[in-house]
Amino acid sequence: MSYLKKDTPIPEPMDCRILTAALNLFVEHGFHSVSVHDVQKDANVSIGSIYKHFGGKEGIAKALYYHLLNEFEEMVNDVTEEDLTSRERCNKIIALLFSYTESRRNIVSYMLYAKHREFLPDEPPICSSAPFIAMRNIVQQGIDSGEIRSGDPWVIAASVFGGAIRMIHLRLDGVIKEPLTEFYDEVVDCMWQGMTPAAAPGREKRRAAR
Amino acid sequence: MSYLKKDTPIPEPMDCRILTAALNLFVEHGFHSVSVHDVQKDANVSIGSIYKHFGGKEGIAKALYYHLLNEFEEMVNDVTEEDLTSRERCNKIIALLFSYTESRRNIVSYMLYAKHREFLPDEPPICSSAPFIAMRNIVQQGIDSGEIRSGDPWVIAASVFGGAIRMIHLRLDGVIKEPLTEFYDEVVDCMWQGMTPAAAPGREKRRAAR
DNA sequence: GTCTATACGCTGATAGAC
DNA sequence: GTCTATCAGCGTATAGAC
């Protein structure tokens, strides 16, 4: 059942084999380029089973999405419950995301790239789903406690996590060749320099183009 | 011919009507969910013309991609040729990207979300294509001239543009309701606070989790 | 519960008239 | 150069045997 956790204990045969096969195929070829037959073949089950369990291709994608979203949320919640400062929580989330990108590449890719609108017509986009809101809330707490400069919560959250997320994109696209974990210190350092309340008032700026 | 430029002068009837229709359909429904018949209907041309001009659906997607990529590259090159500091160049690119996201939403969405691997099997991913490399080079010049803190060029580039790109994603997903231009000052300010060479040595850090 | 075989619609692509 | 009519193949989904 556990995809994100390191110690996957060999999941229930049927459902999970289907989900795992679908995940890999979706990421490698794209949702619409994969047929139910492809999944069926890869998972060593029959088409009937797939329709019995998930009701079709969209059903698989939905189940996969919610399952992974849930695990992601648990991860963020775990970090939230630890006794850490807001900054340490942000850092930990970034570290975990980097780590997962290396060890569970396809999962991160699916959650980051999949156009969920395609199979979840009227579901909130991933950016406004629970775990991302939790991340924004961590940032909000940091603002309230004075650890992080104040401002629009989404802007601050985008500034905190934007660099790291961009690094993940570059890594998934093959632009960056080395494991992300090597860049963790530098990314986090760059980011916090701009997020300290002390730095907020701004000196020497106000010369921006445009 | 000009999609990115503000003053689109009513393009050549045929080719551009097809490309425009395809762009909107691709963005709204996804590449694979759109049939050639859909494009044909929307563009008010016949299937024959489409196959004559573009050779099929993939041909349309490719033409669209290269066309827009080219315009994007021109935009970056224009900024590069202006007499500005590296920082001002970065700011101007961010300002232009924000502006285009508001005025030419589908174009930005297509370039940002489209999985180009699907129709460009062995083409470099967008992140390593010419305009993005040009952006990284601007950052590199800033590092060389001492305007920007030193470090791995991709990390620094990700830190410079990551927050802004994240804001674009949030805006395209409908999470952010107000025009991006309203957030420009704050985004740029946050970012440069972390990018100044003076700030690089690092004080009070080295407490990162993980 | 699991499988196989089959039906039906849609999509990409072409041939040939105008 | 542009269009219409048509085809062949694939992909989803189902019905029914085991």
Side-chain angles (χ1 to χ4, degrees):
Chain A
M1 191 67 108
S2 175
Y3 282 92
L4 272 175
K5 302 292 170 54
K6 290 265 180 182
D7 51 349
T8 308
I10 301 166
E12 314 92 85
M14 179 101 312
D15 298 38
C16 258
R17 243 183 325 161
I18 294 173
L19 289 179
T20 304
L23 170 67
N24 294 326
L25 288 171
F26 287 168
V27 169
E28 279 171 51
H29 304 102
F31 176 71
H32 283 285
S33 301
V34 175
S35 73
V36 180
H37 293 281
D38 296 331
V39 178
Q40 171 248 330
K41 193 178 142 196
D42 247 48
N44 275 314
V45 292
S46 67
I47 293 205
S49 299
I50 290 185
Y51 279 91
K52 200 73 177 169
H53 281 257
F54 298 100
K57 200 169 73 163
E58 289 210 345
I60 300 175
K62 280 190 196 182
L64 199 52
Y65 176 70
Y66 285 122
H67 180 77
L68 297 176
L69 195 66
N70 198 48
E71 296 223 344
F72 181 27
E73 189 181 357
E74 278 180 28
M75 184 206 89
V76 176
N77 286 343
D78 287 350
V79 172
T80 306
E81 282 164 16
E82 285 186 65
D83 183 31
L84 299 169
T85 66
S86 294
R87 285 183 174 225
E88 285 168 336
R89 285 185 179 134
C90 292
N91 287 343
K92 185 141 195 179
I93 288 172
I94 290 172
L96 285 168
L97 288 177
F98 278 12
S99 165
Y100 286 146
T101 303
E102 298 302 328
S103 61
R104 298 276 196 268
R105 187 185 192 107
N106 282 357
I107 290 177
V108 176
S109 196
Y110 183 74
M111 296 306 282
L112 221 59
Y113 282 124
K115 311 262 287 194
H116 306 107
R117 303 287 180 93
E118 290 180 6
F119 45 84
L120 298 170
D122 38 27
E123 204 69 13
I126 182 148
C127 301
S128 63
S129 56
F132 278 88
I133 290 179
M135 285 162 70
R136 199 205 52 177
N137 288 344
I138 291 175
V139 169
Q140 182 67 59
Q141 287 166 14
I143 295 173
D144 295 340
S145 70
E147 288 177 73
I148 301 176
R149 62 179 286 170
S150 59
D152 181 283
W154 280 120
V155 175
I156 302 296
S159 299
V160 168
F161 296 108
I165 293 173
R166 184 87 193 126
M167 288 295 291
I168 293 173
H169 274 105
L170 291 169
R171 176 65 172 150
L172 291 175
D173 276 356
V175 176
I176 291 178
K177 314 290 184 188
E178 302 82 23
L180 282 183
T181 43
E182 294 180 17
F183 300 106
Y184 168 80
D185 285 330
E186 194 176 347
V187 168
V188 164
D189 185 51
C190 281
M191 181 266 287
W192 285 123
Q193 293 292 341
M195 292 297 111
T196 52
R203 46 216 169 201
E204 76 87 30
K205 62 169 177 176
R206 198 60 44 195
R207 197 197 169 190
R210 195 266 149 85
Chain B
M1 191 67 110
S2 173
Y3 282 92
L4 273 176
K5 302 293 170 54
K6 289 266 181 180
D7 52 350
T8 309
I10 301 167
E12 314 91 85
M14 179 101 310
D15 298 39
C16 259
R17 243 182 326 163
I18 294 173
L19 289 179
T20 304
L23 170 68
N24 294 325
L25 288 170
F26 287 167
V27 169
E28 278 171 51
H29 304 102
F31 176 71
H32 283 285
S33 301
V34 175
S35 73
V36 182
H37 296 280
D38 296 330
V39 178
Q40 171 248 328
K41 192 178 143 196
D42 248 48
N44 276 312
V45 291
S46 68
I47 294 205
S49 297
I50 291 185
Y51 279 92
K52 199 73 178 170
H53 280 257
F54 298 100
K57 199 168 74 163
E58 289 210 345
I60 300 175
K62 280 190 196 181
L64 199 51
Y65 177 70
Y66 284 122
H67 179 78
L68 296 176
L69 195 67
N70 198 47
E71 296 222 345
F72 182 27
E73 189 181 357
E74 279 180 27
M75 185 204 89
V76 176
N77 286 343
D78 286 350
V79 172
T80 306
E81 282 164 15
E82 285 185 66
D83 183 31
L84 298 169
T85 66
S86 294
R87 286 183 174 224
E88 286 168 335
R89 285 185 180 135
C90 292
N91 287 344
K92 186 139 195 180
I93 287 172
I94 291 173
L96 286 169
L97 288 177
F98 278 12
S99 165
Y100 286 146
T101 304
E102 298 302 329
S103 61
R104 299 276 196 267
R105 188 185 190 108
N106 282 357
I107 290 177
V108 176
S109 195
Y110 183 75
M111 296 305 283
L112 220 59
Y113 283 124
K115 312 261 285 194
H116 307 107
R117 302 286 180 93
E118 290 180 6
F119 43 85
L120 298 171
D122 38 27
E123 205 68 12
I126 182 149
C127 302
S128 64
S129 55
F132 277 89
I133 290 180
M135 285 162 69
R136 200 205 50 179
N137 288 343
I138 291 175
V139 169
Q140 182 66 59
Q141 288 165 14
I143 295 173
D144 294 340
S145 70
E147 287 177 72
I148 302 176
R149 62 179 285 170
S150 60
D152 182 284
W154 280 120
V155 175
I156 303 296
S159 300
V160 168
F161 296 108
I165 292 173
R166 184 89 192 125
M167 289 294 291
I168 293 173
H169 274 105
L170 291 170
R171 175 65 172 152
L172 291 175
D173 276 356
V175 176
I176 292 177
K177 313 291 185 189
E178 301 82 23
L180 283 183
T181 42
E182 293 180 16
F183 301 105
Y184 168 80
D185 286 330
E186 193 175 347
V187 169
V188 165
D189 185 51
C190 282
M191 181 266 286
W192 285 123
Q193 293 291 342
M195 292 297 112
T196 52
R203 47 215 168 199
E204 76 88 28
K205 62 170 178 178
R206 198 61 46 197
R207 198 197 169 189
R210 189 266 152 88

